[in-house]
Amino acid sequence: MPTSRTGRPPVQRAPRRPAVSRPARDNPVRRLYGDARLAWDRPLTAYYLILGGSLLITVLGLVMVYSASQITALQLSLPGSFFFRKQFLAAVIGAVLLLAASRMPVKLHRALAYPILAGAVFLMALVQVPGIGMSVNGNQNWISLGGSFQIQPSEFGKLALVLWAADLLARKQDKKLLTQWKHMLVPLVPVAFLLLGLIMLGGDMGTAIILTAILFGLLWLAGAPTRLFVGVLSVAALIGVILIKTSPNRMARLACIGATEPRSGGADCWQAVHGIYALASGGIFGSGLGASVEKWGQLPEAHTDFIFAVTGEELGLAGTLSVLALFAALGYAGIRVAGRTEDPFVRYAAGGVTTWITAQAVINIGAVLGLLPIAGVPLPLFSYGGSALLPTMFAVGLLIAFARDDPAARAALSMRQPRFGRKRAGGAVPARGPRRWNTMRRRAPVARSSGER
């Protein structure tokens, strides 16, 4: 053994380990973005967004209806909670409709399309019968149900058009007829114009605009050629211009876009300007729930068409952005359902419902912000009005049913184990023991494998 100069044995040094390159530190922003993207791509994301978003909008709408309608109710010598109680009753009925629609199979939805369309047309024609139809704020679009309860059949016309048109276009697509322009337009456009004519007989141009948006959304989903799309749009725009020019009231509403004074160019812009005042006085976090000043007689229709202005005044910018985020999430989920399905009926129905809710929200909020003329349409699921709430909640139930019907979502739901009661057949046996309330339950013996003693 070799020795060193000092006579001692040389020190055996351990061989050097090869340098290991350290992994780069994860960027927290990139990791958060990746986690968010994975969450968005999950099969049940659309289902949870539609269910959670619609329920949050409805609950927040009930709170704001109660806050915005108290003064109006007291001015009419009614209890302060009068409008809230009616809206709460409509929300309960709407929740039942939502649950029923979400559990119905697609075939049943298609079977209901024609009866709902026939019923809507009959009720919309019945509105024009003297002694039956009622006029509210200059629009002859209501039927009295006795007492303080009224119904607006044109709101159900939106649901009828979506279901019937989706079934019609789906059957024509199965027969490969949508490549011909006459099959794409007939009878879809004539029936839509029939509904529009019945609505315009009562003077409700706001609902007519929503119905027109649904029609164009369905034509776009059906793949209408550009020249055909532009042709129908030009006809609708021409009719709209004629209807606006021949009505001083509609011309006055058009003149109030961007108005900053109650009297702007000879037009009465009181409602539009005080809506801006309400939003401007809210600040970041608002003046507090129930502390609105504009609802004390200054802002007309504070609990219906202009409830978004009261929301901005009491909950501030944070509250209004929350409402916008909920509607954006609902719209995204509807587009996702329509884009990922292979069933043409589901695609057209989901696209029609999404167009309906999104267009109505944009028109209502745009009018409150002074960017669009006041069309007199409520904020979906949010404003006061049972006639608007019931068909909208049924339509949301449609979206939930379609989101559950997606193959990936069905697979994800089938893998779940019930929290109570017996497990599904073929499910995995949990590692922990049975729950306390199941210990005395007689359980069937588990079949042993051939190698088990």
Side-chain angles (χ1 to χ4, degrees):
M1 180 176 180
T3 59
S4 63
R5 295 180 180 178
T6 59
R8 296 178 181 177
V11 178
Q12 298 292 333
R13 295 182 178 179
R16 293 183 178 181
R17 296 180 180 179
V20 180
S21 60
R22 295 183 179 180
R25 294 182 179 179
D26 292 337
N27 188 345
V29 176
R30 183 177 298 177
R31 185 171 63 252
L32 182 62
Y33 171 76
D35 294 341
R37 186 172 181 179
L38 288 176
W40 282 108
D41 288 338
R42 289 178 179 175
L44 293 176
T45 297
Y47 170 74
Y48 287 130
L49 283 178
I50 296 169
L51 180 61
S54 60
L55 291 181
L56 285 175
I57 294 173
T58 305
V59 172
L60 183 58
L62 287 172
V63 174
M64 293 311 304
V65 165
Y66 180 66
S67 175
S69 64
Q70 286 181 334
I71 306 305
T72 304
L74 294 175
Q75 289 175 344
L76 297 175
S77 300
L78 298 170
S81 61
F82 176 78
F83 294 104
F84 168 76
R85 285 181 293 175
K86 291 182 62 178
Q87 186 73 357
F88 182 77
L89 177 61
V92 171
I93 299 174
V96 175
L97 292 176
L98 184 149
L99 181 61
S102 64
R103 294 294 178 176
M104 288 182 185
V106 175
K107 291 183 179 180
L108 184 55
H109 286 303
R110 300 186 68 167
L112 290 176
Y114 284 86
I116 293 178
L117 177 65
V121 171
F122 174 75
L123 291 176
M124 291 168 66
L126 202 62
V127 167
Q128 307 304 324
V129 178
I132 298 179
M134 293 181 56
S135 177
V136 177
N137 294 331
N139 291 338
Q140 184 82 11
N141 283 309
W142 298 82
I143 296 177
S144 176
L145 300 179
S148 60
F149 292 94
Q150 302 166 352
I151 186 174
Q152 187 177 2
S154 57
E155 292 291 341
F156 294 89
K158 304 172 187 176
L159 177 63
L161 179 62
V162 168
L163 284 177
W164 175 79
D167 178 70
L168 174 71
L169 292 175
R171 286 188 289 107
K172 289 195 173 188
Q173 180 172 331
D174 292 338
K175 297 179 180 179
K176 304 185 185 305
L177 297 176
L178 291 182
T179 56
Q180 306 176 31
W181 67 269
K182 60 180 180 181
H183 284 288
M184 185 171 291
L185 295 182
V186 180
L188 175 59
V189 175
V191 172
F193 280 4
L194 171 64
L195 295 174
L196 289 171
L198 291 173
I199 292 173
M200 290 308 301
L201 283 176
D204 187 3
M205 191 167 184
T207 305
I209 293 175
I210 305 301
L211 224 67
T212 305
I214 295 173
L215 173 63
F216 285 118
L218 291 169
L219 289 175
W220 182 78
L221 288 171
T226 304
R227 61 174 180 267
L228 183 63
F229 199 84
V230 171
V232 178
L233 181 62
S234 302
V235 173
L238 179 61
I239 296 175
V241 169
I242 294 174
L243 292 174
I244 293 175
K245 287 287 187 179
T246 54
S247 174
N249 182 31
R250 297 187 186 117
M251 288 296 297
R253 292 187 180 188
L254 195 64
C256 291
I257 297 179
T260 56
E261 297 293 336
R263 299 292 299 183
S264 177
D268 185 5
C269 302
W270 179 274
Q271 186 180 24
V273 171
H274 278 272
I276 298 296
Y277 289 168
L279 291 172
S281 61
I284 301 298
F285 298 105
S287 58
L289 192 62
S292 170
V293 175
E294 292 294 332
K295 69 182 181 183
W296 287 76
Q298 300 296 324
L299 181 62
E301 308 295 337
H303 60 295
T304 55
D305 301 344
F306 270 67
I307 194 171
F308 188 76
V310 180
T311 303
E313 185 179 5
E314 295 187 350
L315 303 183
L317 181 64
T320 55
L321 290 180
S322 300
V323 175
L324 290 175
L326 289 173
F327 276 109
L330 190 59
Y332 165 80
I335 294 174
R336 174 171 170 164
V337 171
R340 293 195 174 191
T341 183
E342 298 295 334
D343 189 340
F345 173 79
V346 173
R347 180 169 63 255
Y348 294 131
V353 171
T354 306
T355 304
W356 163 13
I357 296 177
T358 305
Q360 188 164 328
V362 169
I363 291 173
N364 177 275
I365 296 174
V368 174
L369 295 177
L371 303 176
L372 295 174
I374 300 174
V377 296
L379 190 59
L381 301 172
F382 201 84
S383 297
Y384 170 79
S387 295
L389 184 62
L390 294 181
T392 307
M393 294 192 74
F394 187 90
V396 171
L398 284 177
L399 290 180
I400 294 175
F402 298 155
R404 289 169 56 93
D405 196 56
D406 181 75
R410 279 205 310 266
L413 290 173
S414 64
M415 291 174 63
R416 290 182 173 183
Q417 299 294 335
R419 297 184 61 183
F420 302 100
R422 299 183 179 180
K423 303 295 182 183
R424 290 189 179 96
V429 179
R432 59 184 180 181
R435 295 183 183 272
R436 186 162 193 161
W437 50 81
N438 285 337
T439 54
M440 300 302 295
R441 181 178 298 174
R442 181 178 298 175
R443 293 182 294 272
V446 181
R448 295 182 178 179
S449 62
S450 57
E452 184 180 357
R453 294 183 180 180

